[in-house]
Amino acid sequence: MTPVSPVQLLLVLSLAPQLVSGSPKQYFLKYILEPPPCRAEPEDCNTFCTQQEECPENLQCCSAYCGIVCSSNKAPLPNTYKRLKTTPGA
């Protein structure tokens, strides 16, 4: 078995990232440009979008379990019930 020269090793290392599909630039751009996750479950999974401009005025483009859809994207209401006060020994 012949030893590997440093030039051959550098050649392999420089070509290896190009064999992977997509570039790091595309990966980061997709991460930055992809819509944020929906804060609530979407009402309708039939209205797909790729940009905010594709959604009607009252809806937002967000990422959900069924894809990137137009949704009202309102945060779920927190529990509004009041905790009952209990006195010790009652």
Side-chain angles (χ1 to χ4, degrees):
M1 180 179 256
T2 61
V4 177
S5 73
V7 175
Q8 289 175 330
L9 183 62
L10 288 174
L11 179 65
V12 169
L13 291 177
S14 66
L15 293 177
Q18 295 175 5
L19 300 176
V20 178
S21 62
S23 69
K25 181 179 178 181
Q26 289 174 336
Y27 174 77
F28 288 116
L29 284 176
K30 180 183 177 195
Y31 179 76
I32 292 170
L33 298 176
E34 191 170 297
C38 295
R39 289 180 269 178
E41 188 173 316
E43 303 81 25
D44 182 22
C45 280
N46 295 327
T47 311
F48 295 99
C49 61
T50 56
Q51 297 177 347
Q52 179 60 40
E53 291 78 24
E54 297 175 1
C55 294
E57 211 173 284
N58 59 344
L59 299 177
Q60 292 181 342
C61 189
C62 62
S63 177
Y65 65 91
C66 56
I68 299 174
V69 295
C70 295
S71 174
S72 63
N73 203 18
K74 294 182 180 177
L77 296 173
N79 291 339
T80 56
Y81 68 90
K82 294 180 180 179
R83 191 176 262 183
L84 297 175
K85 293 184 179 180
T86 58
T87 55

